[in-house]
Coordinates of all heavy atoms in Angstrom, one line a residue:
D1 N 50.6 -11.8 -42.1 CA 50.5 -11.0 -40.9 C 50.7 -9.5 -41.1 O 50.1 -8.7 -40.3 CB 51.4 -11.6 -39.8 CG 51.0 -13.0 -39.4 OD1 49.9 -13.4 -39.7 OD2 51.8 -13.7 -38.8
K2 N 51.6 -9.2 -42.0 CA 51.9 -7.8 -42.2 C 50.9 -7.2 -43.2 O 51.1 -5.9 -43.6 CB 53.4 -7.6 -42.8 CG 54.4 -8.0 -41.7 CD 55.8 -7.9 -42.3 CE 56.9 -8.2 -41.3 NZ 58.2 -8.1 -41.9
G3 N 50.0 -7.9 -43.7 CA 49.0 -7.4 -44.7 C 49.4 -7.3 -46.0 O 48.9 -6.7 -46.9
I4 N 50.5 -8.0 -46.3 CA 51.0 -8.0 -47.7 C 50.2 -9.0 -48.6 O 49.9 -10.2 -48.2 CB 52.5 -8.5 -47.8 CG1 53.3 -7.6 -47.0 CG2 53.0 -8.6 -49.2 CD1 54.8 -8.0 -46.8
V5 N 49.7 -8.5 -49.8 CA 48.8 -9.3 -50.6 C 49.7 -10.2 -51.4 O 50.7 -9.8 -52.1 CB 48.0 -8.4 -51.5 CG1 47.1 -9.4 -52.4 CG2 47.1 -7.6 -50.6
L6 N 49.5 -11.5 -51.4 CA 50.3 -12.5 -52.1 C 49.8 -12.7 -53.5 O 48.6 -12.6 -53.7 CB 50.4 -13.7 -51.3 CG 51.0 -13.6 -49.9 CD1 50.9 -14.9 -49.2 CD2 52.5 -13.1 -49.9
G7 N 50.6 -13.2 -54.3 CA 50.1 -13.5 -55.7 C 50.2 -12.3 -56.6 O 50.6 -11.1 -56.2
R8 N 49.7 -12.4 -57.8 CA 49.8 -11.4 -58.8 C 48.8 -10.3 -58.4 O 47.7 -10.5 -57.9 CB 49.4 -11.8 -60.2 CG 50.5 -12.8 -60.8 CD 50.2 -13.0 -62.2 NE 48.9 -13.7 -62.4 CZ 48.4 -14.1 -63.6 NH1 49.1 -13.8 -64.7 NH2 47.3 -14.8 -63.7
P9 N 49.1 -8.9 -58.6 CA 48.2 -7.9 -58.2 C 46.9 -8.0 -59.0 O 47.0 -8.3 -60.2 CB 49.1 -6.6 -58.6 CG 50.1 -7.1 -59.5 CD 50.4 -8.5 -59.2
R10 N 45.9 -7.5 -58.4 CA 44.6 -7.6 -59.1 C 44.6 -6.5 -60.2 O 44.9 -5.4 -60.0 CB 43.4 -7.3 -58.1 CG 42.0 -7.3 -58.7 CD 41.1 -7.0 -57.5 NE 39.7 -6.8 -58.0 CZ 38.9 -7.7 -58.2 NH1 39.2 -8.9 -57.9 NH2 37.6 -7.5 -58.6
R11 N 44.2 -6.9 -61.3 CA 44.1 -5.9 -62.5 C 42.9 -5.1 -62.5 O 41.7 -5.6 -62.3 CB 44.1 -6.8 -63.8 CG 44.2 -5.9 -65.1 CD 44.5 -6.8 -66.3 NE 44.6 -6.0 -67.5 CZ 44.9 -6.4 -68.6 NH1 45.1 -7.8 -68.8 NH2 45.0 -5.7 -69.7
E12 N 43.1 -3.8 -62.6 CA 41.9 -2.9 -62.6 C 41.3 -2.9 -64.0 O 41.9 -2.8 -65.0 CB 42.3 -1.5 -62.2 CG 42.9 -1.4 -60.8 CD 41.8 -1.7 -59.7 OE1 40.6 -1.5 -60.0 OE2 42.2 -2.4 -58.7
I13 N 39.9 -2.9 -64.0 CA 39.2 -2.9 -65.2 C 38.2 -1.8 -65.2 O 37.5 -1.6 -64.2 CB 38.5 -4.3 -65.4 CG1 39.5 -5.4 -65.7 CG2 37.5 -4.2 -66.7 CD1 38.9 -6.8 -65.7
D14 N 38.0 -1.1 -66.3 CA 37.0 -0.1 -66.5 C 35.7 -0.7 -66.8 O 35.4 -1.0 -68.0 CB 37.5 1.0 -67.6 CG 36.4 2.0 -67.8 OD1 35.5 2.1 -66.9 OD2 36.5 2.8 -68.8
L15 N 34.9 -1.1 -65.8 CA 33.7 -1.7 -66.1 C 32.7 -0.9 -66.8 O 31.8 -1.4 -67.5 CB 33.0 -2.2 -64.7 CG 33.7 -3.5 -64.1 CD1 32.9 -3.9 -62.9 CD2 33.7 -4.6 -65.1
R16 N 32.7 0.5 -66.6 CA 31.8 1.3 -67.4 C 32.0 1.2 -68.8 O 31.1 1.1 -69.6 CB 32.0 2.8 -66.9 CG 31.5 3.1 -65.5 CD 31.8 4.5 -65.1 NE 33.2 4.8 -65.1 CZ 33.7 6.0 -64.8 NH1 33.0 7.0 -64.5 NH2 35.0 6.2 -64.8
G17 N 33.3 1.2 -69.2 CA 33.6 1.0 -70.7 C 33.1 -0.4 -71.1 O 32.6 -0.5 -72.3
A18 N 33.3 -1.4 -70.3 CA 32.9 -2.8 -70.7 C 31.3 -2.8 -70.9 O 30.8 -3.4 -71.8 CB 33.3 -3.8 -69.7
L19 N 30.6 -2.2 -69.9 CA 29.2 -2.2 -70.0 C 28.7 -1.4 -71.2 O 27.7 -1.8 -71.9 CB 28.6 -1.6 -68.7 CG 28.8 -2.5 -67.4 CD1 28.3 -1.7 -66.2 CD2 28.0 -3.7 -67.5
A20 N 29.4 -0.4 -71.5 CA 29.0 0.5 -72.7 C 29.2 -0.4 -74.0 O 28.3 -0.3 -74.9 CB 29.9 1.7 -72.8
L21 N 30.2 -1.1 -74.0 CA 30.4 -2.0 -75.2 C 29.3 -3.0 -75.3 O 28.8 -3.3 -76.4 CB 31.8 -2.7 -75.2 CG 33.0 -1.7 -75.4 CD1 34.3 -2.5 -75.0 CD2 33.0 -1.3 -76.8
L22 N 29.0 -3.7 -74.2 CA 28.0 -4.7 -74.1 C 26.6 -4.0 -74.5 O 25.8 -4.7 -75.3 CB 27.9 -5.3 -72.8 CG 29.1 -6.1 -72.3 CD1 28.9 -6.5 -70.9 CD2 29.2 -7.3 -73.2
D23 N 26.3 -2.8 -74.1 CA 25.1 -2.2 -74.5 C 25.0 -1.8 -75.9 O 24.0 -1.7 -76.4 CB 24.9 -0.9 -73.6 CG 24.6 -1.2 -72.1 OD1 24.2 -2.3 -71.8 OD2 24.8 -0.3 -71.3
R24 N 26.2 -1.6 -76.5 CA 26.2 -1.3 -78.0 C 26.1 -2.6 -78.8 O 26.2 -2.5 -80.1 CB 27.5 -0.5 -78.3 CG 27.5 0.9 -77.8 CD 28.4 1.8 -78.5 NE 29.7 1.4 -78.4 CZ 30.6 1.9 -77.5 NH1 30.1 2.8 -76.7 NH2 31.9 1.4 -77.5
G25 N 25.9 -3.8 -78.2 CA 25.8 -4.9 -78.9 C 27.0 -5.9 -79.0 O 26.8 -6.9 -79.6
H26 N 28.1 -5.5 -78.4 CA 29.2 -6.4 -78.4 C 29.0 -7.6 -77.4 O 28.4 -7.4 -76.4 CB 30.5 -5.7 -78.0 CG 30.9 -4.7 -79.0 ND1 31.8 -5.0 -80.1 CD2 30.7 -3.3 -79.0 CE1 32.0 -3.9 -80.7 NE2 31.4 -2.9 -80.2
G27 N 29.4 -8.8 -77.9 CA 29.4 -9.9 -77.0 C 30.5 -9.8 -76.0 O 31.4 -9.0 -76.1
L28 N 30.6 -10.7 -75.1 CA 31.6 -10.7 -74.0 C 33.0 -10.9 -74.6 O 33.9 -10.2 -74.3 CB 31.2 -11.8 -73.0 CG 32.1 -11.8 -71.7 CD1 31.8 -10.6 -70.9 CD2 31.8 -13.1 -71.0
K29 N 33.1 -11.8 -75.6 CA 34.4 -12.0 -76.2 C 34.9 -10.8 -76.9 O 36.1 -10.4 -76.8 CB 34.3 -13.2 -77.1 CG 35.6 -13.6 -77.8 CD 35.4 -14.8 -78.7 CE 36.7 -15.3 -79.3 NZ 36.5 -16.5 -80.1
S30 N 34.0 -10.2 -77.7 CA 34.3 -9.0 -78.5 C 34.8 -7.9 -77.6 O 35.7 -7.1 -77.8 CB 33.2 -8.6 -79.4 OG 33.5 -7.4 -80.0
A31 N 34.0 -7.6 -76.5 CA 34.2 -6.6 -75.5 C 35.6 -6.8 -74.9 O 36.4 -5.8 -74.7 CB 33.2 -6.4 -74.5
A32 N 35.9 -8.0 -74.4 CA 37.1 -8.3 -73.8 C 38.3 -8.1 -74.7 O 39.4 -7.5 -74.3 CB 37.2 -9.7 -73.3
K33 N 38.1 -8.4 -76.0 CA 39.2 -8.2 -77.0 C 39.5 -6.7 -77.1 O 40.6 -6.3 -77.2 CB 38.8 -8.8 -78.3 CG 39.9 -8.8 -79.3 CD 39.5 -9.5 -80.6 CE 40.6 -9.5 -81.7 NZ 40.2 -10.2 -82.9
I34 N 38.4 -5.9 -77.3 CA 38.6 -4.5 -77.4 C 39.3 -3.8 -76.2 O 40.2 -3.0 -76.3 CB 37.2 -3.8 -77.6 CG1 36.6 -4.2 -79.0 CG2 37.3 -2.2 -77.6 CD1 35.2 -3.8 -79.2
L35 N 38.9 -4.3 -75.0 CA 39.5 -3.8 -73.8 C 41.0 -4.3 -73.5 O 41.6 -3.9 -72.7 CB 38.7 -4.1 -72.6 CG 37.3 -3.4 -72.6 CD1 36.4 -4.0 -71.5 CD2 37.5 -1.9 -72.4
G36 N 41.3 -5.4 -74.3 CA 42.6 -6.0 -74.1 C 42.8 -6.8 -72.9 O 43.8 -6.8 -72.2
I37 N 41.7 -7.5 -72.4 CA 41.8 -8.3 -71.3 C 41.2 -9.7 -71.5 O 40.4 -9.9 -72.5 CB 40.9 -7.7 -70.1 CG1 39.5 -7.5 -70.5 CG2 41.6 -6.3 -69.7 CD1 38.6 -6.9 -69.4

């Protein structure tokens, strides 16, 4: 009711960096490992 978000806070991700890695030929697993997520 007070607008408090329950649970773990949402982690912010730099999608531009992820897309750049994917565009350079990295797979999803490889890109995630580089980004540490």
Side-chain angles (χ1 to χ4, degrees):
D1 293 343
K2 292 179 180 179
I4 298 174
V5 178
L6 303 173
R8 290 190 296 178
R10 181 181 173 87
R11 184 171 182 176
E12 295 300 326
I13 295 176
D14 180 11
L15 284 184
R16 290 177 299 178
L19 292 171
L21 289 170
L22 294 172
D23 288 341
R24 289 203 296 270
H26 288 277
L28 190 66
K29 184 177 180 180
S30 174
K33 185 175 181 180
I34 293 171
L35 295 170
I37 59 176

